[in-house]
Amino acid sequence: MIQKLNLLSIIFLITISISAQSNSLQLPSIFSDNMVLQQESSVKFWGTGNPGSEVSINSSWNENAKTKIDNSGKWQLDIKTASYGGPYVVNVFSGKEKIEFKNILLGEVWVCSGQSNMEMPLKGWPPRDLIEGSESIIKNSAKDNIRLFTVNRSYSLEPMEDCEGSWTESNPETTGNFSATAYFFGKRLFDELGVPIGLIHTSWGGTPAEAWTKKEKLETISEFQPILKQIGRGNELMKTYKNWLAQFPSVNFDRDGDSEYWGKFDFNDQELSSFGYDDTDWPKMNLPSHFESSVLGEYDGIVWFRKDIVVPESWIGKNIKISLGPIDDMDATYINGTKIGGYEGGGFWQVLRNYDIPANLLTSNNISIAVRVIDTQGGGGIYGFPDQLYIQNGDERISLTGEWKFLPLAEVDNTKFVLFGNEADVYLNRPKLPFRIGPNTPSTLYNAMINPIIPYGIRGAIWYQGESNTGQPFLYQELFSKMIENWRSEWGLGDFPFYYVQIAPFNYGETQSQYLREAQFKTDLSTANTGMAVTLDIGNAENIHPGKKFEVGSRLALLALNKTYGKSLISSGPIYSSHRISGNALILNFENAENGLKMDYSLSKNEFQIAGEDKIFYPADVKIDGNTIICSSSKVDNPKAVRYAWSNTPTAVLSNNSGLPASSFRTDDW
């Protein structure tokens, strides 16, 4: 009997071994049915298999290639592609194994990356962050020759070899969740070129450029060396932290879910809203505040807030109001254990929370306020201005600023919530890290969302990012140039086209975003084969996610059509190039103004300012003369400098006769 069991065990182990070997041929997810391969080039296929075995690829456009799998089990080979067309089939063989990819097109492939304005889907983020005309566009988006691939959000301290995602055809079922900027870019290329277009979308809202840059490249920038050393020392601590997280239950979530989606979640936390709940052991936080400015630090997840107050007895039995200001991202608000309101779903982070409290909830002058805040990425919390937090009865108002009790209920770990339960000290007693690891950490997105798609064959890249780097504008030019250099070096395709969007006007408060726009402007002038789409005329001072993504995608496409595909057209607005002083006037010279300059004199100000040696800027009088602008002021006898659109929220008044706006700029370096 014992011998029989041993024999069965041996047979079982042999079977497992054969099964493991028979399934050893694998390719990363960037290869799938419906993919687009870069036409008229030599594209790379790669994967894993049995060491020493041969891998061969056969294509239905009659190109074949083969190679040996190396001792580590990895392989890579090149295969030539024909001119655009399809659909084709590609078969990958190794021994008796075969993987077949169907419905493949040959065409133009572009990587589309950045932060939230690239991530913003064609359906928008209702109710505030909407894409103009999106409903009709989605309805009519059935274009089999446009293919879409979205890299699922992920971050990692180490380079990853694969990502989650798959190629789909463009149609009303798929385009709504795809990047609006990327789709409009691809649609314009498809309409103009008549060839299949493949769009690889990889972006994450609220993230800085350093997260998208390889560690070795960042090490050449002195400002990043300290944090990179910390990260190097923190790898073991991070493993300890991950092991600590692994002991808790978790639940997957979709950041783009609507109110119905979020309403179905049960975090087993309802008792935290109840009247009289014992929150004695909860820590305290002063509100309003972002998580990031509090004891929580860099934190994405679910946090409960509680505050008990006493109101005048004259309020008992009255209908009153509560204001909590804006909450990032979602809230469910309770009074004395009863839910009185909430915004649950994406896109509500700027909405002011103003709720009515019905009279039947005020049976005494003791009020218990409980708010569950869900933040899925970026800044989070009850973050508005102090005068936005209050409870009110008629003309009587009680401020709610100051100390609140709080409890971290769950933390975001990539695309899941790790649930800590209702005990106050669980998260606070976690293994401490010297820094926060997440999508904003240097190199983590390059490792998880760029490295896995390299060296897939592409024509070029488009980029929409910069908002998260406005706090360090003078570092951005070097950082951004290094990032572009990094991507080009790793792809090994030379200085492939890299077109990007200059950030639009937005009220950043004390942060002066014009310096970031200047850094982007200078990058275009100093980095080969780049181009910048100016959005000075299509921003929204009150919304960092402007809805005119059609114009953004089209302007990026104009750059590609002109610079990459050789189309004879105007691809950008006038570009300030030089200046000279003539008497009491300063004369500005522009490139890309062969068809003339245009000023919108109907606006209340022309956005030009002029200064003398005292460096005091005054509104300038301007006159167009060919492709030059003459600036002067009666208050400046000896002009030394001119600035244009030099603020957070300028109005675009200068363009060329093609209607494309000029970038903000300055002639000084003060």
Side-chain angles (χ1 to χ4, degrees):
M1 183 68 175
I2 293 175
Q3 289 180 339
K4 184 177 181 181
L5 285 173
N6 286 340
L7 181 60
L8 288 173
S9 298
I10 292 170
I11 293 172
F12 176 75
L13 290 173
I14 292 173
T15 303
I16 291 294
S17 175
I18 294 173
S19 175
Q21 290 183 10
S22 66
N23 293 314
S24 62
L25 179 63
Q26 294 183 19
L27 286 81
S29 63
I30 191 65
F31 299 100
S32 76
D33 293 346
N34 307 312
M35 64 182 163
V36 179
L37 298 175
Q38 180 59 43
Q39 67 165 330
E40 297 179 327
S41 65
S42 180
V43 300
K44 295 185 184 298
F45 279 72
W46 69 95
T48 57
N50 289 323
S53 300
E54 184 178 89
V55 172
S56 62
I57 292 184
N58 299 332
S59 71
S60 61
W61 63 87
N62 298 320
E63 288 289 343
N64 308 308
K66 60 183 178 180
T67 190
K68 287 274 189 179
I69 301 173
D70 68 20
N71 291 334
S72 69
K74 296 180 179 180
W75 59 270
Q76 179 176 292
L77 54 75
D78 296 349
I79 185 169
K80 293 181 179 179
T81 55
S83 181
Y84 69 91
Y88 293 108
V89 174
V90 167
N91 288 304
V92 185
F93 299 94
S94 182
K96 294 183 179 180
E97 297 179 74
K98 172 186 172 183
I99 297 176
E100 183 178 59
F101 298 114
K102 303 181 292 295
N103 196 27
I104 297 169
L105 299 178
L106 303 183
E108 295 296 298
V109 182
W110 289 81
V111 171
C112 315
S113 187
Q115 59 179 112
S116 57
N117 272 307
M118 180 63 80
E119 184 180 34
M120 189 176 180
L122 196 52
K123 68 180 182 182
W125 290 314
R128 282 178 54 88
D129 301 340
L130 305 176
I131 303 296
E132 292 188 4
S134 63
E135 185 175 345
S136 173
I137 293 160
I138 293 170
K139 183 179 179 181
N140 294 288
S141 63
K143 299 288 183 183
D144 289 345
N145 284 354
I146 298 178
R147 304 290 173 82
L148 317 171
F149 185 100
T150 295
V151 177
N152 286 1
R153 299 181 188 96
S154 183
Y155 59 85
S156 172
L157 284 176
E158 300 295 332
M160 296 174 63
E161 296 186 354
D162 201 2
C163 61
E164 293 184 10
S166 63
W167 286 94
T168 63
E169 296 179 344
S170 169
N171 58 55
E173 286 70 47
T174 60
T175 55
N177 289 314
F178 192 75
S179 162
T181 294
Y183 177 79
F184 288 128
F185 169 79
K187 178 68 164 55
R188 181 70 181 268
L189 291 188
F190 175 71
D191 290 343
E192 296 282 344
L193 302 175
V195 306
I197 302 296
L199 302 171
I200 303 171
H201 168 228
T202 176
S203 64
W204 193 320
T207 56
E210 58 265 30
W212 298 94
T213 308
K214 190 175 182 179
K215 179 186 71 172
E216 288 75 10
K217 186 61 68 173
L218 289 177
E219 287 174 338
T220 66
I221 304 175
S222 60
E223 287 84 353
F224 290 106
Q225 291 170 4
I227 182 63
L228 292 173
K229 288 179 181 178
Q230 278 190 314
I231 292 171
R233 292 194 297 265
N235 276 334
E236 288 303 315
L237 289 173
M238 190 62 195
K239 291 177 183 177
T240 300
Y241 188 71
K242 287 290 187 181
N243 289 334
W244 178 79
L245 286 178
Q247 69 180 300
F248 300 104
S250 63
V251 57
N252 292 324
F253 70 93
D254 177 5
R255 285 181 175 84
D256 295 330
D258 57 19
S259 57
E260 290 186 6
Y261 173 84
W262 286 103
K264 295 176 183 176
F265 271 98
D266 181 6
F267 299 110
N268 194 29
D269 60 350
Q270 280 304 115
E271 66 174 325
L272 303 184
S273 68
S274 60
F275 182 76
Y277 181 82
D278 184 5
D279 56 17
T280 306
D281 296 332
W282 287 24
K284 298 175 182 178
M285 183 188 300
N286 283 320
L287 296 182
S289 172
H290 275 105
F291 297 159
E292 291 73 12
S293 302
S294 74
V295 65
L296 274 175
E298 293 288 333
Y299 181 89
D300 296 322
I302 305 172
V303 179
W304 274 92
F305 292 94
R306 288 181 57 91
K307 189 176 184 70
D308 294 329
I309 64 170
V310 178
V311 300
E313 291 190 4
S314 59
W315 291 26
I316 297 173
K318 300 288 181 64
N319 294 309
I320 64 175
K321 298 180 181 297
I322 187 171
S323 170
L324 298 171
I327 296 178
D328 192 350
D329 296 297
M330 295 172 255
D331 77 293
T333 298
Y334 298 80
I335 296 294
N336 294 340
T338 298
K339 186 176 180 181
I340 61 165
Y343 286 85
E344 296 172 287
F348 295 106
W349 65 283
Q350 289 180 302
V351 175
L352 299 180
R353 270 53 171 194
N354 297 309
Y355 303 128
D356 292 324
I357 302 175
N360 67 316
L361 294 182
L362 271 69
T363 58
S364 76
N365 62 339
N366 294 307
I367 296 180
S368 174
I369 307 167
V371 185
R372 181 176 65 195
V373 175
I374 300 178
D375 169 47
T376 61
Q377 65 179 12
I382 302 174
Y383 71 94
F385 297 105
D387 62 1
Q388 293 176 315
L389 267 71
Y390 59 85
I391 193 165
Q392 182 171 332
N393 175 32
D395 294 332
E396 293 183 87
R397 178 178 293 188
I398 299 174
S399 174
L400 298 178
T401 61
E403 287 186 348
W404 286 60
K405 299 286 190 71
F406 77 95
L407 181 142
L409 181 79
E411 184 179 15
V412 170
D413 184 23
N414 279 327
T415 56
K416 63 184 179 182
F417 285 118
V418 179
L419 304 172
F420 303 132
N422 299 348
E423 297 299 323
D425 59 350
V426 173
Y427 179 76
L428 298 180
N429 291 333
R430 70 196 182 282
K432 296 298 191 294
L433 296 172
F435 52 88
R436 166 75 176 178
I437 299 296
N440 293 344
T441 306
S443 301
T444 54
L445 299 186
Y446 174 85
N447 291 336
M449 299 181 68
I450 296 297
N451 193 71
I453 61 175
I454 297 174
Y456 193 85
I458 62 171
R459 173 66 70 192
I462 60 172
W463 174 258
Y464 195 167
Q465 190 275 340
E467 296 89 347
S468 289
N469 288 94
T470 53
Q472 292 183 298
F474 302 109
L475 177 61
Y476 191 79
Q477 184 184 350
E478 180 183 9
L479 168 61
F480 189 29
S481 297
K482 294 276 189 181
M483 192 203 81
I484 296 170
E485 181 183 305
N486 168 202
W487 288 21
R488 287 172 169 173
S489 173
E490 294 300 317
W491 247 287
L493 298 173
D495 290 341
F496 61 72
F498 195 104
Y499 305 128
Y500 59 93
V501 183
Q502 187 184 56
I503 61 172
F506 175 69
N507 185 6
Y508 287 92
E510 294 182 2
T511 299
Q512 295 181 303
S513 60
Q514 61 267 35
Y515 290 100
L516 195 285
R517 292 199 300 272
E518 179 183 58
Q520 294 176 313
F521 177 77
K522 289 182 176 179
T523 301
D524 185 23
L525 299 179
S526 62
T527 307
N529 206 15
T530 61
M532 183 179 74
V534 177
T535 59
L536 215 61
D537 59 329
I538 52 177
N540 184 334
E542 302 304 321
N543 192 334
I544 203 169
H545 302 132
K548 293 181 179 292
K549 293 297 190 285
F550 172 82
E551 289 83 353
V552 177
S554 294
R555 289 176 188 179
L556 288 166
L558 286 176
L559 291 166
L561 290 167
N562 176 234
K563 294 173 174 283
T564 302
Y565 299 110
K567 299 289 185 180
S568 180
L569 47 80
I570 303 298
S571 61
S572 70
I575 300 171
Y576 161 73
S577 58
S578 64
H579 70 276
R580 69 182 189 276
I581 298 172
S582 177
N584 66 347
L586 194 148
I587 302 173
L588 304 169
N589 301 309
F590 291 85
E591 297 176 356
N592 227 45
E594 294 81 3
N595 68 342
L597 296 171
K598 183 168 64 175
M599 286 280 294
D600 188 344
Y601 291 103
S602 67
L603 300 170
S604 58
K605 63 177 183 176
N606 61 37
E607 294 288 349
F608 282 87
Q609 296 175 302
I610 191 167
E613 291 182 351
D614 59 5
K615 301 182 182 180
I616 300 174
F617 282 88
Y618 298 95
D621 298 319
V622 301
K623 186 174 91 171
I624 294 175
D625 183 12
N627 64 349
T628 68
I629 289 181
I630 303 169
C631 296
S632 63
S633 171
S634 60
K635 296 182 179 180
V636 180
D637 293 330
N638 298 301
K640 297 297 180 183
V642 164
R643 293 178 174 182
Y644 168 70
W646 203 252
S647 69
N648 276 327
T649 57
T651 302
V653 297
L654 176 64
S655 66
N656 55 24
N657 281 317
S658 296
L660 295 173
S663 165
S664 52
F665 65 87
R666 59 176 175 157
T667 66
D668 64 277
D669 58 1
W670 300 340

